[in-house]
Amino acid sequence: MTAGSVSLVGAGPGDPGLITRRGLELLRAAQVVVHDRLVGRELLLEAPPEARLVDAGKAPGRVPLDQVTINDLLIAEARSGHRVVRLKGGDPFVFGRGFEELLACREAGVRCEVVPGVSSAIAGPAAAGIPVTLRGVARSFAVMTAQTGASALADAQGGPNWPALARTDTLVILMGGTQLKGVRGALLDAGRSPQTPVAIVESATLPRQRVTRATLATLGRVEPGAGAPAVLVVGEVARFARTHEDGESRALTGRRVVVTRPLRSASAVAGQLRRRGAEVIVCPLIRIEYRKPRKPHHLEREIFSAAVQSGQEPWIVFTSRHGVVGFWAALRAAGGDARSCAGARLAVVGPRTGEALGEIGLTPDLVADPGRAEALIEILAPQVAGAEVLFPCGTLARREVAAGLRAAGAKVRELVVYNTLPERPDAAAAAEIQRGVDAVLFHSPSAVRAWVAARLAPVRVLVACLGEETADVARRSGLEPEIVAEEHSDDGLIAALEAHFAPSTARSQASRT
């Protein structure tokens, strides 16, 4: 066996949030990623920046790599000692030729792991509200692909068994958008009723998902979207398909929104926006790099020695999740753990930072809410006179925090535990932004500065800022924020964005509540 390895990872049906935890873990550790066409760009951003990305996607009229070449590539990279992820849409073993790749690796003596994925055969109907089985309606379902079946529709020997498929309660047909007339004719010829309900689900699980209802009799008149992956559902359960018109109108449906947060923290925001119907462009403009102590030492002893001598309780002040994560990493590297903080009181800005503290087993003594640094200083000022205060922060930390606490008589020590660095905009994301967007979200002043420096927006774009500090920097940079979230959280920013795009009646009601 070789030192390298191959992992066949199912990327899921489209929504990047539907990849498995194991699949995401392997992707984030990959050195080479060989991906299919339908794998979303946002998911590829989860790979390490230094990883090599290879597009092996097949599309109508375009085959960059044939299957033999793909097999050879996986084996060669693994034999070179690399961790290779073969990222495949849906599930690797559902019309994905994953088993062929597994066999090729086995025969070559290459370690190969298979990570199942959520298949669009199940997720596509589910995303449209269609159960493939339903008590009293459908006791069985079959899955086929129109791409292999279409060329053999009239071939009784090599083609699908249409009489058997026509008798199946629910028939799910993948890659069927260009084969509607052929599928219709084959099923009618096999005896399926012309009145059988049919649903076509395009771009399933994505914000641009489109659902069309028909019957076998009218299927030939349906015009699917060009280039969009489509799942056909044939059977009585297709009656339950929900089109866009059936659902509640959502303020962000169809809106193109740019998220500029660092990649790891952008996923949650992007997921919330997608669930509200937005098309999200993840374009990280900054990245967080946690620092490692230069020399192993007992961090807590160095920090609190003076406080112990004076007998006064010290404080540790956190103004961001990154400060918590960086402090914990530094503390662990120095040989400490949660017990090191036993003699200190803990203060945080906002509930999100408090949640980060809870994730490492610590409970804040003070949570400044609303989540603004000014509120924290105001609450702490009467309590820190003469006290030691440790402020774990980043390289671009607000100087007002340390200055305000010092003005209150505290002995403040700033401990830089992470670097905030500019991130070069991803080329694909920049191209999407050039096509036009409805809004860009800024969570920090550094992201605003990076946006202006990159000159990403070709025309005026709606600017939404988290907090007044970020908004002030935007104004000084020549941008005019139309949205400034009063609630200093992701939920607050998204709620403000929804209120802005809501119909005028809904917006006026929101303003009165």
Side-chain angles (χ1 to χ4, degrees), residues 60 64 147 152 168 181 196 259 317:
Q147 292 304 313
T168 305
K181 292 182 180 179
T196 302
V259 175
V317 173

Side-chain angles (χ1 to χ4, degrees), residues 299-311:
L299 191 62
E300 72 279 12
R301 190 178 304 166
E302 179 181 338
I303 293 165
F304 300 126
S305 58
V308 171
Q309 292 172 9
S310 65

Side-chain angles (χ1 to χ4, degrees), residues 236-270:
E236 289 301 314
V237 293
R239 295 184 186 276
F240 302 107
R242 289 177 59 84
T243 65
H244 173 64
E245 290 76 16
D246 295 329
E248 296 181 7
S249 178
R250 295 178 292 180
L252 299 184
T253 297
R255 301 289 183 181
R256 288 166 58 84
V257 181
V258 182
V259 175
T260 61
R261 298 189 79 173
L263 183 61
R264 293 293 184 267
S265 52
S267 299
V269 180

Side-chain angles (χ1 to χ4, degrees), residues 50-67:
E50 64 276 8
R52 186 161 72 92
L53 305 182
V54 180
D55 182 2
K58 302 178 182 68
R62 182 177 75 95
V63 184
L65 300 177
D66 61 32
Q67 191 59 53

Side-chain angles (χ1 to χ4, degrees), residues 208-452:
R208 60 180 179 274
Q209 175 177 301
R210 176 188 173 199
V211 181
T212 306
R213 287 190 294 245
T215 64
L216 274 181
T218 62
L219 185 59
R221 299 197 292 270
V222 173
E223 300 263 347
V231 177
L232 274 64
V233 184
V234 181
E236 289 301 314
V237 293
R239 295 184 186 276
F240 302 107
R242 289 177 59 84
T243 65
H244 173 64
E245 290 76 16
D246 295 329
E248 296 181 7
S249 178
R250 295 178 292 180
L252 299 184
T253 297
R255 301 289 183 181
R256 288 166 58 84
V257 181
V258 182
V259 175
T260 61
R261 298 189 79 173
L263 183 61
R264 293 293 184 267
S265 52
S267 299
V269 180
Q272 289 188 57
L273 290 168
R274 286 195 193 90
R275 286 190 288 275
R276 288 161 172 80
E279 181 179 348
V280 182
I281 302 168
V282 175
C283 183
L285 295 177
I286 58 173
R287 73 177 189 275
I288 302 300
E289 184 180 87
Y290 295 107
R291 290 190 172 188
K292 295 181 180 179
R294 293 182 179 180
K295 297 180 181 179
H297 58 284
H298 293 292
L299 191 62
E300 72 279 12
R301 190 178 304 166
E302 179 181 338
I303 293 165
F304 300 126
S305 58
V308 171
Q309 292 172 9
S310 65
Q312 188 171 358
E313 281 186 315
W315 284 85
I316 309 179
V317 173
F318 300 97
T319 58
S320 72
R321 170 177 285 268
H322 296 304
V324 173
V325 175
F327 172 76
W328 183 247
L331 190 62
R332 296 292 291 155
D337 55 28
R339 292 170 297 180
S340 307
C341 304
R345 302 187 70 189
L346 309 176
V348 300
V349 170
R352 187 169 178 271
T353 308
E355 290 171 5
L357 207 58
E359 290 169 6
I360 62 174
L362 297 174
T363 302
D365 298 283
L366 185 154
V367 179
D369 196 16
R372 291 195 295 267
E374 294 86 348
L376 179 68
I377 295 171
E378 183 178 347
I379 298 171
L380 269 181
Q383 307 181 55
V384 296
E388 292 271 340
V389 174
L390 176 67
F391 177 31
C393 58
T395 48
L396 299 181
R398 291 186 59 183
R399 299 305 170 203
E400 292 89 338
V401 175
L405 294 175
R406 288 190 179 105
K411 301 172 184 177
V412 180
R413 173 173 177 173
E414 297 174 63
L415 179 68
V416 178
V417 294
Y418 66 92
N419 300 324
T420 304
L421 304 171
E423 184 78 278
R424 184 176 181 179
D426 175 73
E432 286 295 316
I433 292 170
Q434 292 298 317
R435 287 180 49 214
V437 296
D438 293 289
V440 56
L441 308 187
F442 294 116
H443 288 73
S444 66
S446 51
V448 173
R449 298 186 187 101
W451 173 274
V452 173

